[in-house]
């Protein structure tokens, strides 16, 4: 241990940064080839040509693209995300509010879904091919197969409108206590848990079953360990790499892919914010959000890689 | 028995009888829930406003990019919130008359070129400053300066000079305009302290509510302005707009009691919502209309026979039935209907006529198919409407190719660029002159049918300066017929504004100028 691991970590982080840099370039190019003009989009259908020309000049849209890219990159390195074109406000503020909302929702969804998925997976292995396994698989597969907006509307109708247990509009604000906030986000959290559960549960089940075929598991069973101890002490540590990978992919999804759930429950997260600004051609905001999403994705994947490496002695001590 | 029910409704309105109890008693004697609900709300109206509570609206049409600067107002939520915290010189009432707000009286010169607005005394902005003619002047200057981005610029262009003298604000126009007070009711022209020159998006106005929460695209709210001059507005302690762009989220929030009113109920769910106890659907016919636009200067649409063929080939009744589900009325290929003052009812209604369509199509000499562009964003149901048009045109031997364009970029790349496309007009312009000068005058920026007719422009200017009503009506009739028979616009239908309101809301009155009482719902209603 020690040096090789540190080297690996440094290598991964360097790769991640490079990837992030490439992503920034792609994001910039992507936003440039969007059709339409930001000035026109901000002013909308009621834009007069004079107003459009005035706005274009004010926004500095007459500079060539590469100049704008390097200006943007220079700002980023100094921690400045720039100013939103559409309302002239600093992006950092708005984004940090939205991002903290997204993280709030995602962490509660993760807090429920990850342990639940792993425990259900272990149960499924324990009762392999018997009714508890089939029930768990059936229910989780059904919930992942239904589109999330459909689950969202179903919950909204039965839980919010008919039963009136939780609100259908999930807008937390600062004056709420934690409990009130949790009450507010109960429905979107439930939908997200249902959506990500199956993937993680199935992976846990498959990975552990795979390990269970090995000779050392048979040895463990033969020396008289209880089935759960076998799974916990011998199978689980060896199955952790694929499980962590899937968990990370799902965590990334909880942060970057929840736009539909956000818009159904009117949750003020980053996804909704991004979409609003795409339609307004507010390029700096789109770039900032896309870059945040890219960093989340890359970071979580680096963590997954590192965990797999640390958990695997063969990768930990390369020859 | 009716008397008895009315008596009960009155009791309920006074709070002496529970709402649920009242509905139960009404149901017991065979009054439907919907009818009982509307009885209750009219009783609440008669009972007069109640103070207090937090009045909440769930509205579509808000974005996180919205600013509080009135010059940039574009979305519905900005428009409605602006009417809570701000106020204009005048407003257009439900029956199309001028209501005096920050202006106390208006005095035109005999030639309708110079107008004097006397500013109401003793009105305060939220920051404690008194509203003066100087503030009005600065506001108007901000909206008409050369580098303005104001949505009201079009309205301001005809102004030659403005001045403030004591408590009188005066405007001199380049050409006479008898409708100037209507133009001053434009929702962008909220009077701000010092015209909002230094802090345009401060949200300081003179309206019935002070801005307390401003999270654009999420929620916006205010508290009652204790110094508001007009006791008929600003009844709730607090108001809140929650931005609910998703139609299902809106209805669910209303049903779940999280909001008291919602806008833009889809026609297909309006009937269902009507049956929900405690909720009333409010539908009002307005001036908004859906259109198919042909560019009169682009082949093949430069041929009036082809334009007429297409006008006869559209089935208006079917569109109102299927696209609006009856929540609307048929159009007559002109942008004006009975919702406008000075409208002539006697203009013949154009109907679906395959024979005439075939005749004109043949006469035009055009062969082959015609490309019609549409998109979901063009108007609600625009894609289906284009397909209905395609089918009815096929019956007249005209082949339409329908192309669905992406919503994103439709207003920049297709509308006002492509020669044949679907679109809409919101009907937010309260007088005929404004509608025609916005979209049918040769020099108009949004002349989206490329209707270049000097004789029409001449009539427009003539009608604008005409103070004799009878002559003015005749002029507008002539212009309407001209657009109907020679213009490039196909107007299949005028759409109703459909909203829904909880029984807890008192004082809701329909306003044909726009949805949610033309944006005044939060300012004027109360919690009963």
């Amino acid at each position: 241990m020690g040096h090789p691991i540190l080297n690996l970590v440094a290598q991964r982080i360097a790769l991640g940064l490079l990837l992030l840099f490439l992503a920034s370039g792609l994001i910039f190019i992507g936003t440039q080839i969007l059709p339409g003009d930001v000035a026109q989009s901000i002013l909308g259908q009621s834009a007069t040509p004079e107003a459009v020309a005035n706005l274009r000049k004010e926004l500095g849209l007459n500079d060539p693209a590469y100049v704008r890219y390097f200006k943007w990159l220079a700002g980023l390195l100094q921690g400045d995300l720039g100013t939103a074109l559409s309302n002239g406000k600093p992006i950092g503020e708005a984004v940090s509010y939205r991002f903290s909302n997204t993280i709030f929702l995602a962490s509660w969804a993760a807090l429920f879904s990850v342990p639940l998925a792993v425990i259900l997976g272990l149960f499924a292995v324990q009762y392999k091919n018997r009714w508890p396994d089939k029930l768990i698989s059936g229910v989780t597969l059904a919930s992942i197969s239904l589109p999330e907006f459909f689950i969202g509307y179903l919950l909204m109708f039965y839980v919010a409108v008919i039963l009136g247990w939780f609100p259908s509009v999930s807008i937390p604000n600062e004056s709420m206590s934690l409990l009130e906030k949790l009450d507010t986000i109960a429905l979107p959290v439930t939908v997200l848990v249902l959506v990500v559960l199956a993937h993680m549960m199935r992976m846990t089940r498959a990975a552990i079953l795979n390990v269970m075929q090995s000779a050392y598991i048979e040895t463990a069973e033969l020396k008289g360990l209880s089935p759960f101890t076998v799974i916990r002490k011998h199978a689980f540590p060896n199955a952790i790499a694929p499980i962590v990978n899937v968990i990370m992919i799902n965590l990334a999804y909880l942060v970057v892919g929840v736009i539909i759930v956000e818009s159904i429950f009117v949750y003020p997260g980053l996804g909704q914010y991004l979409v609003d600004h795409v339609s307004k051609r507010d390029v700096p905001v789109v770039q900032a959000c896309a870059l945040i999403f890219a960093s989340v994705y890359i970071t979580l994947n680096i963590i997954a890689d590192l965990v797999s490496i640390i958990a695997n002695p063969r990768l930990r001590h390369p020859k | 028995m009716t008397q008895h029910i009315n008596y009960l409704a009155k009791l309920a309105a006074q709070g002496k009888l529970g709402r649920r109890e009242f509905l139960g008693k009404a149901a017991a004697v065979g009054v439907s829930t919907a009818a009982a609900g509307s009885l209750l709300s009219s009783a609440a109206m008669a009972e007069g406003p109640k103070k207090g509570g937090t009045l909440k609206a769930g509205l579509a049409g808000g974005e996180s990019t919205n600013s509080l600067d009135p010059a940039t107002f574009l979305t519905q939520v900005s428009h409605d919130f602006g009417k809570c915290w701000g106020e204009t010189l005048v407003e257009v009432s439900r029956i199309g008359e001028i209501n005096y707000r920050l202006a106390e009286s208006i005095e035109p010169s005999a030639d309708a070129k110079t107008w004097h607005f006397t500013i109401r005394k003793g009105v305060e902005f939220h920051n404690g400053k008194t509203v003066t003619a100087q503030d009005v002047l600065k506001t108007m200057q901000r909206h008409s300066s050369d580098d303005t981005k104001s949505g009201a610029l079009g309205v301001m262009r005809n102004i030659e000079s403005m001045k403030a003298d004591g408590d009188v604000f005066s405007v001199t126009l380049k050409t006479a305009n008898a409708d100037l007070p209507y133009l001053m009711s434009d929702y962008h022209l909220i009077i701000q302290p010092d015209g909002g020159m230094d802090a345009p998006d401060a949200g300081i106005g003179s309206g019935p509510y002070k801005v307390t929460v401003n999270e654009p695209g999420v929620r916006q709210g205010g508290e009652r302005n204790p110094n508001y001059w007009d006791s008929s507005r600003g009844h709730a302690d607090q108001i809140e707009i929650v931005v609910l762009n998703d139609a299902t989220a809106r209805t669910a929030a209303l049903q779940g009691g999280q909001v008291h009113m919602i806008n833009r109920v889809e026609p297909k769910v309006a009937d269902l919502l009507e049956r929900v106890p405690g909720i009333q659907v409010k539908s009002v016919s307005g001036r908004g209309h859906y259109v198919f636009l042909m560019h009169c200067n682009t082949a093949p649409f430069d041929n009036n026979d082809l334009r007429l063929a297409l006008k006869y080939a559209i089935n208006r009744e079917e569109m109102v039935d299927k696209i609006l589900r009856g929540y609307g009325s048929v159009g007559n290929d002109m942008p004006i209907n009975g919702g406008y003052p000075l409208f002539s009812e006697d203009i013949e209604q154009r109907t679906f006529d395959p024979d005439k369509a075939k005749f004109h199509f043949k006469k035009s000499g055009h062969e082959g198919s015609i490309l019609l562009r549409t998109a979901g964003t063009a108007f609600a149901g625009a894609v289906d409407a284009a397909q209905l048009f395609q089918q009815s045109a096929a019956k007249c031997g005209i082949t339409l190719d329908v192309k669905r364009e992406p919503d994103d970029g439709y207003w920049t790349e297709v509308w006002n660029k492509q020669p044949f496309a679907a679109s809409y007009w919101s009907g937010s312009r309260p007088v005929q002159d404004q509608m025609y000068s916005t979209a049918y005058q040769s020099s108009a920026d949004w002349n989206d049918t490329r209707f270049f007719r000097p004789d029409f422009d001449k009539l427009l200017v003539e009608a604008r300066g005409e103070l004799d009503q009878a002559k003015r009506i005749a002029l507008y009739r002539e212009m309407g017929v001209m657009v109907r028979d020679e213009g490039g616009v196909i107007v299949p239908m005028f759409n109703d504004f459909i909203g829904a309101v909880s029984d807890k809301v008192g004082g809701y009155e329909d306003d044909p100028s726009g949805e949610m009482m033309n944006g005044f719902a939060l300012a004027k209603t109360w919690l009963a």
Side-chain angles (χ1 to χ4, degrees):
Chain A
M1 292 267 283
H3 286 306
I5 291 275
L6 283 184
N7 277 347
L8 262 175
V9 173
Q11 205 185 0
R12 291 284 153 172
I13 291 174
L15 266 176
L17 286 177
L18 181 69
L19 212 55
L20 206 54
F21 176 70
L22 292 179
S24 80
L26 279 179
I27 290 165
F28 191 83
I29 294 170
T31 49
Q32 294 307 308
I33 53 182
L34 282 173
D37 173 81
V38 60
Q40 179 83 46
S41 307
I42 292 173
L43 296 170
Q45 194 211 19
S46 57
T48 61
E50 289 101 317
V52 171
N54 287 339
L55 193 62
R56 279 191 70 84
K57 207 165 80 188
E58 196 184 302
L59 298 176
L61 291 175
N62 299 328
D63 286 343
Y66 68 91
V67 174
R68 277 179 283 144
Y69 174 67
F70 285 109
K71 272 189 190 161
W72 173 61
L73 207 60
L76 278 183
L77 293 176
Q78 296 161 24
D80 174 19
L81 289 173
T83 314
L85 298 181
S86 46
N87 57 8
K89 295 237 167 80
I91 297 172
E93 255 170 58
V95 162
S96 64
Y97 162 69
R98 294 293 187 130
F99 190 60
S100 62
N101 278 344
T102 293
I103 294 292
F104 183 68
L105 183 64
S107 22
W108 282 101
L111 210 62
F112 283 103
S113 61
V114 173
L116 196 60
V118 173
I119 291 171
L120 285 178
L122 295 179
F123 256 102
V125 171
Q126 178 60 24
Y127 297 101
K128 188 179 68 154
N129 291 339
R130 288 166 36 206
W131 69 264
D133 177 29
K134 288 185 177 152
L135 182 73
I136 292 170
S137 292
V139 170
T140 50
L141 282 180
S143 73
I144 204 179
S145 311
L146 292 173
E148 53 201 281
F149 68 85
F150 185 68
I151 303 179
Y153 285 148
L154 273 186
L155 282 179
M156 191 188 272
F157 183 66
Y158 286 105
V159 181
V161 173
I162 298 214
L163 296 171
W165 289 352
F166 296 109
S168 63
V169 175
S170 305
I171 305 182
N173 61 50
E174 285 108 37
S175 58
M176 289 179 172
S177 68
L178 181 65
L179 217 59
E180 283 172 324
K181 279 189 184 173
L182 288 183
D183 177 70
T184 305
I185 63 165
L187 290 184
V189 165
T190 313
V191 174
L192 290 177
V193 167
L194 287 174
V195 168
V196 296
L197 201 57
H199 196 189
M200 293 190 285
M201 189 290 280
R202 297 286 294 177
M203 200 48 164
T204 310
R205 181 180 178 274
I208 292 184
L209 277 183
N210 194 20
V211 174
M212 294 295 269
Q213 319 286 343
S214 323
Y216 64 84
I217 296 292
E218 207 173 343
T219 313
E221 278 168 359
L222 287 177
K223 75 183 181 191
L225 293 181
S226 76
F228 257 112
T229 318
V230 172
I231 294 177
R232 189 171 52 84
K233 291 192 81 169
H234 296 279
F236 191 66
N238 285 298
I240 204 158
I243 297 175
V244 166
N245 265 310
V246 167
I247 288 178
M248 288 305 161
I249 287 177
N250 280 290
L251 290 188
Y253 166 81
L254 285 179
V255 176
V256 308
V258 294
I259 169 70
I260 293 173
V261 175
E262 277 180 15
S263 42
I264 290 175
F265 293 103
V266 211
Y267 188 78
L270 201 54
Q272 187 59 55
Y273 185 73
L274 171 65
V275 169
D276 272 0
H277 287 80
V278 169
S279 61
K280 280 280 177 265
R281 301 285 173 274
D282 195 334
V283 174
V285 178
V286 175
Q287 288 164 340
C289 293
L291 205 63
I292 290 173
F293 285 158
S295 347
V296 168
Y297 215 84
I298 291 171
T299 313
L300 288 174
N301 274 297
I302 291 177
I303 294 176
D305 276 2
L306 292 176
V307 171
S308 325
I309 291 169
I310 293 166
N312 188 335
R314 269 168 300 178
L315 293 174
R316 205 157 58 202
H317 305 290
K319 282 187 182 153
Chain B
M1 173 150 60
T2 336
Q3 251 180 354
H4 179 60
I5 291 292
N6 283 338
Y7 172 69
L8 290 179
K10 204 173 152 201
L11 283 186
Q14 289 166 343
K16 289 174 187 155
L17 185 71
R19 196 183 66 90
R20 219 166 259 281
E21 214 176 330
F22 165 72
L23 293 179
K25 283 189 192 231
V29 292
V31 178
S32 78
T33 311
S38 75
L39 259 177
L40 191 53
S41 71
S42 54
M45 188 83 199
E47 208 46 47
K50 274 216 186 106
K51 297 280 174 193
T54 301
L55 193 59
K56 291 186 182 181
L59 302 181
E63 288 161 354
S64 41
T65 49
N66 292 161
S67 153
L68 282 183
D69 176 0
T72 67
F73 282 4
L74 182 67
T75 62
Q76 192 65 39
V77 170
S78 307
H79 169 267
D80 288 19
F81 192 48
K83 295 196 166 179
C84 294
W85 64 262
E87 201 149 47
T88 49
L89 286 177
V90 291
E91 287 164 9
V92 180
S93 76
R94 301 198 298 137
I95 47 170
E97 287 173 338
I98 288 292
N99 269 353
Y100 295 99
R101 303 306 297 176
L102 290 180
E104 202 170 46
S105 62
I106 302 178
E107 201 68 47
S109 65
D111 60 355
K113 275 184 101 167
T114 304
W115 293 75
H116 304 288
F117 296 81
T118 308
I119 306 305
R120 194 176 292 278
K121 287 172 203 67
V123 179
E124 271 180 23
F125 287 115
H126 299 158
N127 62 6
K129 249 191 97 221
T130 307
V131 180
T132 63
Q134 196 63 31
D135 295 315
V136 176
L137 175 67
K138 283 279 175 60
T139 301
M140 299 305 167
Q141 281 170 346
R142 190 166 80 83
H143 287 274
S144 58
S145 68
D146 289 337
D147 57 351
T148 186
K149 300 181 285 272
S150 174
L153 183 59
V155 169
M156 311 297 287
R157 243 181 240 149
N158 188 28
I159 292 178
E160 191 173 270
S161 67
M162 298 182 283
K163 69 174 194 313
D165 187 10
D167 55 3
V168 177
F169 164 69
S170 312
V171 175
T172 307
L173 301 173
K174 289 175 192 154
T175 57
N177 190 343
D179 287 334
L180 186 76
Y182 286 92
L183 301 186
M184 287 293 153
S185 74
D186 188 294
Y187 63 93
H188 298 97
L189 299 179
I190 287 176
I191 309 302
Q192 294 172 278
D194 201 34
M197 293 280 192
D198 36 327
D201 57 356
I204 302 279
S206 56
Y209 292 98
K210 292 179 181 180
V211 177
T212 51
V213 180
N214 180 36
E215 295 172 23
V218 181
R219 58 190 199 113
Q220 291 176 309
E223 60 179 16
R224 188 197 293 139
N225 170 9
N227 299 332
Y228 190 59
W229 60 276
D230 180 0
S231 64
S232 72
R233 291 188 190 179
H235 303 300
D237 289 337
Q238 272 157 8
I239 50 137
E240 186 175 331
I241 295 176
V242 186
V243 178
L244 302 174
N245 288 323
D246 184 89
T248 315
R250 271 199 308 285
T251 27
L254 180 67
Q255 284 179 271
Q258 290 188 284
V259 297
H260 300 111
M261 54 184 87
I262 57 172
N263 65 347
R264 299 199 200 158
V265 174
E266 292 174 333
K268 63 181 178 225
V269 303
D271 284 342
L272 301 172
L273 203 55
E274 194 115 42
R275 281 183 240 146
V276 176
I279 289 174
Q280 292 170 51
V281 171
K282 300 282 186 185
S283 149
V284 56
S285 56
R287 300 182 288 257
H289 51 282
Y290 298 161
V291 290
F292 293 104
L293 303 165
M294 305 177 281
H295 285 183
C296 298
N297 66 348
T298 312
F301 309 103
D302 53 353
N303 182 319
N304 195 37
D305 278 303
L306 184 93
R307 297 203 295 269
L308 277 173
L310 289 169
K311 287 174 182 175
Y312 281 114
I314 195 163
N315 191 336
R316 293 169 177 76
E317 273 83 14
E318 189 187 28
M319 294 244 179
V320 172
D321 274 357
K322 292 188 176 158
I323 304 295
L324 300 177
R325 309 252 174 166
Y327 288 97
S329 50
V330 291
N332 197 17
D333 299 335
M334 48 190 271
I336 305 301
N337 68 353
Y340 282 92
L342 314 179
F343 173 70
S344 305
E345 299 282 353
D346 63 333
I347 301 174
E348 192 199 342
Q349 173 65 45
R350 182 168 285 137
T351 52
F352 178 51
D353 191 333
D355 292 334
K356 280 189 183 157
K358 275 178 199 157
F359 168 78
H360 285 289
F361 190 64
K362 200 167 167 225
K363 203 171 151 206
S364 78
H366 181 77
E367 294 201 9
S369 61
I370 296 169
L371 181 63
L372 169 61
R373 289 167 208 266
T374 183
T377 187
F379 55 82
V383 177
D384 296 336
Q387 279 160 355
L388 285 180
F389 191 9
Q390 187 178 36
Q391 286 166 17
S392 64
K395 286 182 198 146
C396 311
I398 303 172
T399 314
L400 285 185
D401 288 336
V402 173
K403 183 172 182 207
R404 184 179 185 160
E405 299 278 355
D407 284 355
D408 202 25
Y410 189 78
W411 300 113
T412 48
E413 305 299 312
V414 179
W415 173 74
N416 212 1
K417 292 239 168 77
Q418 298 296 340
F420 193 24
S423 176
Y424 76 100
W425 284 98
S426 70
S428 59
R429 292 158 186 85
V431 285
Q432 298 197 32
D433 175 66
Q434 209 183 351
M435 185 65 232
Y436 283 131
S437 4
T438 308
Y440 296 87
Q441 194 176 11
S442 301
S443 59
D445 298 324
W446 304 326
N447 185 346
D448 54 9
T449 53
R450 304 289 186 269
F451 185 60
F452 300 123
R453 289 286 296 268
D455 45 347
F456 181 87
D457 298 344
K458 207 173 135 249
L459 284 175
L460 184 65
V461 173
E462 199 181 327
R464 187 181 295 154
E466 180 62 66
L467 291 173
D468 180 335
Q469 290 290 61
K471 278 192 201 155
R472 227 172 156 210
I473 291 175
L475 287 170
Y476 280 130
R477 184 182 193 286
E478 196 181 339
M479 286 158 62
V481 170
M482 204 177 220
V483 170
R484 174 185 179 271
D485 295 339
E486 293 158 59
V489 66
I490 303 175
V491 185
M493 52 196 148
F494 280 79
N495 57 301
D496 286 0
F497 300 111
I498 317 174
V501 180
S502 145
D503 278 350
K504 295 190 182 105
V505 173
Y508 193 97
E509 296 175 301
D510 293 331
D511 188 324
S513 295
E515 56 185 55
M516 291 280 105
M517 300 175 65
N518 192 23
F520 288 114
L522 286 172
K524 290 183 179 175
T525 62
W526 60 86
L527 282 170

